[in-house]
Amino acid sequence: MRCDRVWRDARLATMVGGDMGVVERGLVAAQDGLIVYAGPAAEAPALDAAEIIDCDGRWITPGLIDCHTHLVHAGDRAREFELRLEGASYEEIAGAGGGIVSTMRATRDASEDDLVASALPRLDALIAEGVTTIEVKSGYGLDTDSEIKMLRAARRLGVERRVGVSTTFLGAHALPPEYAGAPDGYIALVAGTMLPEITCLGLADAVDAFCENIGFSAQQTAQVFDAARRAGLPVKLHAEQLSNQHGAALAAQYGALSADHLEHLDDAGIAAMAASGTVATLLPGAYYFMRETKLPPIESLRRAGVPIAIATDCNPGTSPLTSLLLAMNMGATLFRLTVTECLAGVTRNAARALGLADSIGTLEAGKRCDLAIWDIERPAELVYRMGSNPLHARIWSGR
């Protein structure tokens, strides 16, 4: 078998099956950016490789996937962090004109080039930890031109860096000041004008909304999802973060790729997600940063067989986190996820949360050759260490 490259003398965590899919004496072979073999060296076909890389016993995992970020934005909200430390609640800050609306003002004022330039350092921090695919949401523009500007900037990140970028339209993120007291009017704009125009421009891979007592109701969210369905785009949802609005069950009714946050998720929502195959994306960075105390119902999700993903939720207000390795550690320490659950959460289940499970997330023939090669003795080190980055090499699309 002809191939471009072979990585040999490696230990593999293929993430195939229900565990880590460990191969102690393995190799990975790639041709034209795709994996052509990943498995035991003793069972590999005869390989005619243009380049052979010795891994000297290092571990190879699939490239990591950050499946929920708000990476593109302008400004920061460090002052709001101070206010929360002094006792102000998220709702109080939002009601006083802070929160998402303050980031909206900065983002509207920024140019597309400004947004790309400010996002690149955040992206580079994730890439340096082995991230090969990232999801980026809009939702800080809150008008048609600014939402388009954000999504264009997000697409450009995949040109500026060798990384897969999945874009999500999150127009229903917050109510802009010009629609104060008129949320139905704004939802009509999102569903009737913004989403169709963004779809025509090919700028979104999915549609999201913030279904919450300080966001949008289930009925308003359904209007956005109906528009997404007409546009042929999959949906996902910020659900049950601060209260139980039954958003996860609604998302499941639309076959959502994922429902995210989920601290206040109830049994009905879990059952609906299990039936629809919707991924539960947990965001421990936001839980930690906001000093939440109500844990997501991890054991109930496990019992129901709902796949669990983990992401940074990188955003300026509630999770200014640019380390997916630290997000895994938080998932383990705060939510009591196992090592296997954490690694699956940033590989195969994260791919599923983006609708990309057929092309990334595991080491299997036919999938894109996205690899992270680690200087570790066992995969648990990726979850166990804090502030440590054992990445040896990152491979994207075979290079």
Side-chain angles (χ1 to χ4, degrees), residues 277-293:
T278 298
V279 174
T281 299
L282 305 183
L283 306 170
Y287 179 92
Y288 164 82
F289 196 77
M290 295 179 68
R291 296 184 292 174
E292 294 290 350
T293 57

Side-chain angles (χ1 to χ4, degrees), residues 244-266:
N244 184 10
Q245 301 294 313
H246 308 290
L250 173 69
Q253 290 176 25
Y254 285 83
L257 294 173
S258 70
D260 304 16
H261 286 291
L262 303 177
E263 284 87 340
H264 293 264
L265 180 65
D266 62 15

